Amino acid sequence: MTREPLLDLIQVGGLEIDFLRRRATLGGTPLRLTPLELRLIRVLAANPGRVLSRDDLLASVWPPGTYVSSRSVDSLIKRLRRKLPTEDGHPLIATVRGEGYRFHIS
């Protein structure tokens, strides 16, 4: 996987995530994101429109040597989606069946 540089700040609609300060807000209201959720959204946002497989995400989000199943990615995505807004009716994190996940920016 070719990796883009990780972003320090993303803004999509009313969502703002400041990775340096480890803070996220939606319309100015703080979002409570876990460190793993922040790492996941940062990796996805650094690759907008690109499909990242579960293996890509496992290698990029969890610390090396940590044993987690590929279903851990699914659980983390599900938790994160509940906290994030949709953009033009689309979830910010889209599922690409049989392939992985993509960060959607219109």
Side-chain angles (χ1 to χ4, degrees):
M1 172 175 95
T2 306
R3 295 187 183 169
E4 298 295 321
L6 293 179
L7 305 172
D8 293 331
L9 177 73
I10 62 167
Q11 293 178 302
V12 179
L15 174 68
E16 180 175 304
I17 303 174
D18 182 337
F19 296 103
L20 293 177
R21 292 182 178 89
R22 295 185 176 102
R23 285 192 287 206
T25 58
L26 179 58
T29 303
L31 290 176
R32 297 179 86 120
L33 299 181
T34 67
L36 272 179
E37 290 168 344
L38 280 169
R39 283 199 294 271
L40 175 63
I41 194 76
R42 190 175 196 185
V43 169
L44 288 166
N47 295 279
R50 191 160 165 229
V51 177
L52 299 177
S53 71
R54 284 183 183 98
D55 288 338
D56 292 336
L57 294 171
L58 283 170
S60 300
V61 175
W62 279 266
T66 303
Y67 174 76
V68 290
S69 76
S70 62
R71 292 298 176 196
S72 297
V73 173
D74 299 337
S75 295
L76 188 60
I77 293 278
K78 184 177 179 179
R79 284 194 339 246
L80 189 54
R81 277 184 179 151
R82 281 190 232 140
K83 297 178 182 182
L84 297 178
T86 58
E87 180 72 11
D88 297 328
H90 300 283
L92 288 178
I93 303 170
T95 299
V96 180
R97 280 207 187 275
E99 295 184 42
Y101 298 97
R102 173 178 44 224
F103 190 75
H104 172 79
I105 297 180
S106 54

